[in-house]
Amino acid sequence: MLTLRDVHAGYGRSRVLHGVDLTVEADQVAGVLGHNGAGKSTLLRVAVGLLRPRSGRVELDGEDVTRLAPHQRVARGMAYVPQGQQCFPHLTAAENLRLVADGRRDGAAALDESLDLFPALRPLLRRRAGLLSGGQRQQLALARALITRPRLLLLDEPTEGIQPSVVVEIQDRIADLAARAGITVLLVEQHLGFALRVAHHYHVLESGRVTSRGAGGVTAEAEVRRALAV
């Protein structure tokens, strides 16, 4: 599904990723774990096209998409949910969703399906997004991304600042996306327990390099903690 081959990337004179090789198989969840500053968010920005790598390739279903713009990658089935529960705070939850749904041939149906995954949003549709809790805004961001009917969903720290009860709900929805909806997920996360419970495979990123990888599952947590020395 998604492959990064020998990717080097950075900002200005700063080099962040150093020869990253990573593959996400179709219909699976892959977790990228690491400390702050390891290059996790940069990796996602390269994958979705917000940052062009200095060298290396990004492939989607075997096609080289390294030089494609973000909207072209979205048209090929990518969706990206950045860190921070991003929304348009002065618009209602419904208006946030309609910004994506309007203009799409299947927009109304896709919007309704996304709300089926996050039913807690239905009674909040008339509320301004800026008045929602952090967990509600994160669910709104996920629902909005799903309206595009992606085949590959890129998630950056979806549990950041979220109350534990909502973390469990988001965990269940991510697992459902891969198991039932056939959506591949690349998940960047610092919450090890959460990431390993939903990920089929994990990749540990340290100082811009993949230093460890393996099968997911709660039994992998001790191994990952040793790799991160935490």
Side-chain angles (χ1 to χ4, degrees), residues 104-146:
R104 292 184 60 86
R105 183 179 304 174
D106 60 348
L111 192 158
D112 197 53
E113 290 170 12
S114 71
L115 288 174
D116 286 342
L117 284 170
F118 298 99
L121 290 175
R122 288 193 182 275
L124 304 172
L125 290 176
R126 295 184 179 182
R127 187 175 300 180
R128 285 189 180 182
L131 300 178
L132 301 178
S133 70
Q136 291 164 344
R137 288 196 303 272
Q138 186 61 276
Q139 291 180 77
L140 178 61
L142 288 165
R144 189 173 57 197
L146 292 173

Side-chain angles (χ1 to χ4, degrees), residues 77-160:
M78 282 193 187
Y80 171 53
V81 180
Q83 188 175 7
Q85 306 109 42
Q86 293 191 16
C87 63
F88 296 95
H90 298 298
L91 299 180
T92 66
E95 289 167 338
N96 269 268
L97 295 172
R98 286 200 297 267
L99 282 175
V100 179
D102 287 352
R104 292 184 60 86
R105 183 179 304 174
D106 60 348
L111 192 158
D112 197 53
E113 290 170 12
S114 71
L115 288 174
D116 286 342
L117 284 170
F118 298 99
L121 290 175
R122 288 193 182 275
L124 304 172
L125 290 176
R126 295 184 179 182
R127 187 175 300 180
R128 285 189 180 182
L131 300 178
L132 301 178
S133 70
Q136 291 164 344
R137 288 196 303 272
Q138 186 61 276
Q139 291 180 77
L140 178 61
L142 288 165
R144 189 173 57 197
L146 292 173
I147 291 172
T148 65
R149 299 186 188 275
R151 295 183 298 117
L152 172 63
L153 184 61
L154 310 176
L155 303 179
D156 194 354
E157 303 280 5
T159 68
E160 182 186 44

Side-chain angles (χ1 to χ4, degrees), residues 6-200:
D6 193 25
V7 168
H8 295 254
Y11 308 92
R13 296 183 178 180
S14 175
R15 297 188 177 186
V16 179
L17 300 180
H18 307 273
V20 169
D21 290 296
L22 186 149
T23 296
V24 187
E25 301 291 346
D27 304 335
Q28 294 201 345
V29 180
V32 178
L33 311 171
H35 298 297
N36 283 332
K40 304 187 302 298
S41 294
T42 298
L43 185 151
L44 288 189
R45 289 174 61 83
V46 168
V48 78
L50 293 172
L51 178 66
R52 182 169 292 182
R54 295 176 178 178
S55 62
R57 289 162 58 97
V58 179
E59 299 175 2
L60 182 64
D61 289 332
E63 177 190 3
D64 185 355
V65 298
T66 312
R67 295 186 175 277
L68 295 187
H71 73 274
Q72 294 173 305
R73 301 188 198 197
V74 169
R76 283 164 171 75
M78 282 193 187
Y80 171 53
V81 180
Q83 188 175 7
Q85 306 109 42
Q86 293 191 16
C87 63
F88 296 95
H90 298 298
L91 299 180
T92 66
E95 289 167 338
N96 269 268
L97 295 172
R98 286 200 297 267
L99 282 175
V100 179
D102 287 352
R104 292 184 60 86
R105 183 179 304 174
D106 60 348
L111 192 158
D112 197 53
E113 290 170 12
S114 71
L115 288 174
D116 286 342
L117 284 170
F118 298 99
L121 290 175
R122 288 193 182 275
L124 304 172
L125 290 176
R126 295 184 179 182
R127 187 175 300 180
R128 285 189 180 182
L131 300 178
L132 301 178
S133 70
Q136 291 164 344
R137 288 196 303 272
Q138 186 61 276
Q139 291 180 77
L140 178 61
L142 288 165
R144 189 173 57 197
L146 292 173
I147 291 172
T148 65
R149 299 186 188 275
R151 295 183 298 117
L152 172 63
L153 184 61
L154 310 176
L155 303 179
D156 194 354
E157 303 280 5
T159 68
E160 182 186 44
I162 305 301
Q163 58 268 38
S165 61
V166 179
V167 168
V168 172
E169 185 172 351
I170 290 174
Q171 173 187 306
D172 292 343
R173 294 293 78 74
I174 291 173
D176 285 345
L177 291 176
R180 301 181 185 179
I183 298 176
T184 304
V185 179
L186 178 57
L187 166 71
V188 158
E189 186 55 72
Q190 288 196 71
H191 189 312
L192 298 187
F194 168 85
L196 293 172
R197 280 192 294 271
V198 298
H200 296 90

